[in-house]
């Protein structure tokens, strides 16, 4: 190899090493993003689980795995490029292609599933499960109990902390049939107490005004934005950051394949 070609080869390998270093950093960032989403600090998982389609969580778990795999494999790739042995480079290329496929699945799952979170989905779920009497035939109904208790607690927390009521507004509790309405008359509680304004001690400020819907003693805003907003933002981040990693990784893999073809057998 001539000195000029040797210099070009060293520069090309340095670029490939830098490319893998960026992939390693992106892998750590992807892991952190997916861990933050999976930790479910907003308590949204039970609402998604009750829909029967929690693919967005599965996508986040796949993203967590691929982030870790990208970090480890890119470190191995830097070593493979420094050594520049065909068998080691081939192992790196195969591993990267497999991880690439998993990350494609994660990004597509997160990107497509965000359109699932429409207001009617959460409205139906709320009306059917909020304050629903628990079934008696245990233990076959543990899943139902988890859903009923989880949805009731989640909605109580959302309506209290976000100062909202229902999906579209308080009229959801009056306009549609629900287990809550079956257990409470309009004269008693037309909507849950969590829809009422509370003081610093957690007591209802003016119960009678809340019952008849006087503002600001009744929270008139719906909770949909507080529920779907974080889910859509997280799925957007996981999907598009994943796609950005895929674009960068694609060119790095092509560069390594080209470097592999230039080596002597």
């Amino acid at each position: 190899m001539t000195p000029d070609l040797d210099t070009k080869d060293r520069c090309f390998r340095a670029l490939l090493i830098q490319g893998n270093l960026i992939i390693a950093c992106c892998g750590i960032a992807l892991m952190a993003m997916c861990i933050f989403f999976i930790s479910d600090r907003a308590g949204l998982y039970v609402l998604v689980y009750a829909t029967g389609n929690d693919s967005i969580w599965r996508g986040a778990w796949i993203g967590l795995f691929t982030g870790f795999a990208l970090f480890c494999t890119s470190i191995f790739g830097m070593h493979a490029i420094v050594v520049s042995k065909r068998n080691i480079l081939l192992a790196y290329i195969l591993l990267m292609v497999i991880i690439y496929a998993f990350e494609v699945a994660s990004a597509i799952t997160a990107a497509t599933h965000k359109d699932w979170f429409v207001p009617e989905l959460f409205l139906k779920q709320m009306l059917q499960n909020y304050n629903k009497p628990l079934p008696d035939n245990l233990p076959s109904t543990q899943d139902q109990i988890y859903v009923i208790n989880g949805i009731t607690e989640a909605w109580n927390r959302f309506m209290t902390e976000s100062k909202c009521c229902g999906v579209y507004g308080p009229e959801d509790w009056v306009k549609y049939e629900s287990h809550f309405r079956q257990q409470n008359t309009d004269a008693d509680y037309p909507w849950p107490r969590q829809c009422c304004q509370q003081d610093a001690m957690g007591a209802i400020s003016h119960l009678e005004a809340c019952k008849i819907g006087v503002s600001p003693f009744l929270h008139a805003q719906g909770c949909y934005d507080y529920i779907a907003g974080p889910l859509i933002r997280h799925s957007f981040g996981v999907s598009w950051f994943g796609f950005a990693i895929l674009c960068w990784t694609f060119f790095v893999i092509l560069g390594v394949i080209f470097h592999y073809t230039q080596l002597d057998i």
Side-chain angles (χ1 to χ4, degrees):
M1 182 176 292
T2 64
D4 185 51
L5 290 176
D6 187 57
T7 301
K8 290 181 178 179
D9 180 67
R10 286 200 301 269
C11 291
F12 186 66
R13 282 194 286 175
L15 287 175
L16 293 178
I17 291 172
Q18 291 179 3
N20 276 277
L21 180 61
I22 293 174
I23 292 175
C25 296
C26 289
I28 294 175
L30 181 63
M31 286 174 57
M33 181 181 296
C34 291
I35 289 172
F36 179 80
F37 180 69
I38 293 170
S39 64
D40 189 28
R41 299 177 65 182
L44 297 169
Y45 176 73
V46 66
L47 301 183
V48 177
Y49 175 80
T51 66
N53 188 353
D54 59 350
S55 298
I56 186 172
W57 251 265
R58 291 196 292 271
W61 276 107
I62 297 173
L64 175 60
F65 161 75
T66 54
F68 179 73
L70 284 171
F71 172 76
C72 295
T73 307
S74 59
I75 298 298
F76 170 69
M78 287 187 278
H79 169 71
I81 293 166
V82 171
V83 175
S84 288
K85 291 185 178 180
R86 288 176 64 90
N87 58 343
I88 300 178
L89 283 172
L90 181 60
Y92 164 78
I93 293 169
L94 292 176
L95 286 173
M96 268 299 187
V97 169
I98 294 172
I99 297 169
Y100 194 92
F102 274 98
E103 181 55 29
V104 168
S106 172
I108 292 176
T109 300
T112 56
H113 193 66
K114 66 182 178 64
D115 297 329
W116 174 260
F117 305 123
V118 295
E120 289 75 15
L121 179 71
F122 296 108
L123 177 62
K124 180 180 178 181
Q125 182 188 97
M126 178 190 74
L127 297 173
Q128 290 181 347
N129 293 285
Y130 183 85
N131 253 24
K132 182 179 180 179
L134 297 177
D136 297 325
N137 48 332
L138 297 174
S140 61
T141 54
Q142 285 290 347
D143 187 67
Q144 297 178 29
I145 293 174
Y146 167 72
V147 169
I148 293 169
N149 287 337
I151 288 179
T152 301
E153 292 172 3
W155 272 102
N156 286 340
R157 185 177 69 255
F158 290 138
M159 292 189 292
T160 301
E161 296 178 355
S162 302
K163 295 180 175 55
C164 58
C165 186
V167 175
Y168 294 102
E171 65 275 4
D172 292 344
W173 301 102
V174 180
K175 185 177 179 181
Y176 304 101
E177 283 295 326
S178 64
H179 286 284
F180 174 82
R181 194 173 184 187
Q182 292 173 6
Q183 299 169 37
N184 299 272
T185 64
D186 290 347
D188 184 15
Y189 279 102
W191 30 71
R193 299 184 184 186
Q194 287 75 17
C195 291
C196 300
Q197 185 187 69
Q198 300 179 12
D199 58 24
M201 302 301 294
I204 298 176
S205 300
H206 199 303
L207 181 57
E208 294 304 320
C210 177
K211 285 183 180 181
I212 61 176
V214 177
S215 180
F217 301 105
L218 172 67
H219 304 316
Q221 184 179 2
C223 298
Y224 173 73
D225 291 338
Y226 299 102
I227 296 173
L231 291 172
I232 293 174
R233 286 194 300 271
H234 291 328
S235 62
F236 184 86
V238 171
S239 61
W240 288 106
F241 184 57
F243 282 128
I245 295 175
L246 289 172
C247 292
W248 179 262
T249 304
F250 175 78
F251 290 106
V252 174
I253 293 175
L254 284 183
V256 176
I257 293 174
F258 175 77
H259 179 60
Y260 172 82
T261 60
Q262 301 305 303
L263 295 175
D264 296 330
I265 300 176

